[in-house]
Amino acid sequence: ETGVTQTPRHLVMGMTNKKSLKCEQHLGHNAMYWYKQSAKKPLELMFVYSLEERVENNSVPSRFSPECPNSSHLFLHLHTLQPEDSALYLCASSQVKGTGDPYEQYFGPGTRLTVT
Amino acid sequence: AQSVAQPEDQVNVAEGNPLTVKCTYSVSGNPYLFWYVQYPNRGLQFLLKYITGDNLVKGSYGFEAEFNKSQTSFHLKKPSALVSDSALYFCAVRDIDDYKLSFGAGTTVTVRA
């Protein structure tokens, strides 16, 4: 996939580890998103960056720390996670000019995270 | 506040039969509505969206969706399902004054040969 890429695709980490998820979009978009997908639950929006500024933090625990160094890259830094944090983490991007724009989001393939 | 309901966890149809995946929404203002599909071990792929205008929206892979304002619904349809349509389908809504998408819990579609 060339639109939105995510690495690694799979990650197993212990509760005391520190790891990072990486997302890169090649679509020229100016907004990027992190979602958590757990089985049988709606996608949970975690963080939103628009024009490289964080505009949304949905009460996400501090053990998740996002970073957006530029409009094409987004990271999710992980430390001291819990087993219930095991899930598929999806990155998405979109073009945002104003809140009234109907642009759809484009998703990466996700990182399957398992916390042991 | 905005929300989406997909009342069916699972939809099973025979190949060649019509496929319908239901979605109802709630927004305080006017909605933008989206359908996405997710294949195993993949991210979500955009299928189609409703912005304004015609209530019947056509999208990728022969899918279409009908916007019904009075029933606050946006059901996904395909006249003749294929085995390859077997996947997880998500409906999503955005208030036009917001940038955040709210997703339903998803409907697993199984098309049997």
Side-chain angles (χ1 to χ4, degrees):
Chain A
E1 294 142 312
T2 57
V4 181
T5 58
Q6 291 186 243
T7 55
R9 294 292 304 273
H10 300 272
L11 178 62
V12 179
M13 59 185 290
M15 293 169 60
T16 58
N17 291 159
K18 290 185 179 181
K19 295 287 184 183
S20 295
L21 309 185
K22 179 183 176 182
C23 174
E24 185 173 359
Q25 60 96 359
H26 310 270
L27 300 169
H29 291 161
N30 59 8
M32 297 186 78
Y33 310 77
W34 277 118
Y35 288 89
K36 177 183 179 181
Q37 184 180 19
S38 304
K40 306 297 184 185
K41 293 175 65 176
L43 269 69
E44 301 173 46
L45 179 63
M46 301 175 71
F47 301 104
V48 181
Y49 278 82
S50 178
L51 298 173
E52 300 158 39
E53 286 191 22
R54 191 190 311 179
V55 296
E56 185 83 17
N57 178 344
N58 276 350
S59 303
V60 179
S62 59
R63 57 186 183 268
F64 295 91
S65 174
E67 179 189 1
C68 187
N70 55 61
S71 59
S72 299
H73 293 87
L74 185 65
F75 295 89
L76 188 62
H77 303 301
L78 316 171
H79 64 98
T80 58
L81 294 190
Q82 305 297 311
E84 59 266 28
D85 296 323
S86 298
L88 182 67
Y89 288 84
L90 293 166
C91 173
S93 71
S94 73
Q95 188 66 17
V96 176
K97 291 182 181 177
T99 55
D101 292 318
Y103 295 104
E104 59 272 18
Q105 294 178 15
Y106 289 85
F107 286 78
T111 295
R112 174 68 63 185
L113 174 67
T114 304
V115 181
T116 60
Chain B
Q2 56 194 36
S3 64
V4 172
Q6 293 181 242
E8 300 160 316
D9 287 341
Q10 192 128 18
V11 170
N12 298 306
V13 298
E15 188 172 35
N17 281 2
L19 170 63
T20 298
V21 186
K22 295 180 180 177
C23 171
T24 58
Y25 67 90
S26 173
V27 294
S28 55
N30 292 316
Y32 290 143
L33 292 153
F34 304 81
W35 275 102
Y36 286 84
V37 60
Q38 185 178 33
Y39 298 99
N41 301 314
R42 302 289 293 276
L44 277 66
Q45 294 180 35
F46 169 72
L47 277 180
L48 50 78
K49 66 182 176 185
Y50 170 81
I51 304 170
T52 186
D54 283 344
N55 290 340
L56 187 64
V57 179
K58 294 188 183 296
S60 305
Y61 312 119
F63 283 94
E64 57 189 29
E66 187 166 12
F67 171 65
N68 187 317
K69 187 172 184 178
S70 62
Q71 297 185 2
T72 62
S73 66
F74 189 56
H75 301 329
L76 181 70
K77 300 179 181 182
K78 186 169 184 179
S80 179
L82 301 172
V83 173
S84 57
D85 294 327
S86 299
L88 182 58
Y89 290 80
F90 290 96
C91 182
V93 67
R94 246 187 67 197
D95 190 298
I96 62 171
D97 293 324
D98 201 345
Y99 57 84
K100 292 180 291 186
L101 275 179
S102 294
F103 286 85
T107 299
T108 299
V109 170
T110 302
V111 182
R112 60 187 184 278

